[in-house]
Amino acid sequence: MTGNQTEALFGMLVTFGLLVLMVLPSVIGIVRDRRVDRQLREAQEAVSAGKETQKSSDRSTVPSTATWYAEGRRSKKLVNS
């Protein structure tokens, strides 16, 4: 290989590497979008097939500690004023 051929090969490899770096984020995005679409399609099929899903009314109705703290603060304000 002559010096010119080596330089041309190196230039092509650098150009190809830059092309890959520029295209890679869009390919990753396409793959991610397809995965999300597949998950949404599977969830829609599960709902249309009549499978039970958890409803918000099935969740525990116990207030969180932050709610109790806020309620206590409100009642103290009412008593003090």
Side-chain angles (χ1 to χ4, degrees):
M1 250 184 161
T2 65
N4 287 339
Q5 290 174 329
T6 305
E7 188 176 328
L9 179 64
F10 181 72
M12 286 192 307
L13 289 176
V14 168
T15 304
F16 182 71
L18 288 174
L19 178 67
V20 168
L21 285 176
M22 292 176 67
V23 172
L24 189 63
S26 62
V27 170
I28 291 171
I30 291 169
V31 170
R32 184 177 295 156
D33 284 347
R34 287 191 179 208
R35 181 176 48 99
V36 169
D37 288 343
R38 181 178 41 86
Q39 290 173 344
L40 288 173
R41 189 170 39 254
E42 289 172 356
Q44 183 65 33
E45 290 171 359
V47 169
S48 64
K51 292 183 180 176
E52 287 293 321
T53 58
Q54 183 179 8
K55 298 178 182 174
S56 62
S57 60
D58 294 341
R59 293 185 188 156
S60 174
T61 57
V62 176
S64 68
T65 305
T67 305
W68 287 346
Y69 178 75
E71 288 295 325
R73 298 280 298 181
R74 285 190 204 115
S75 63
K76 287 179 185 176
K77 286 182 181 178
L78 292 175
V79 171
N80 290 336
S81 55

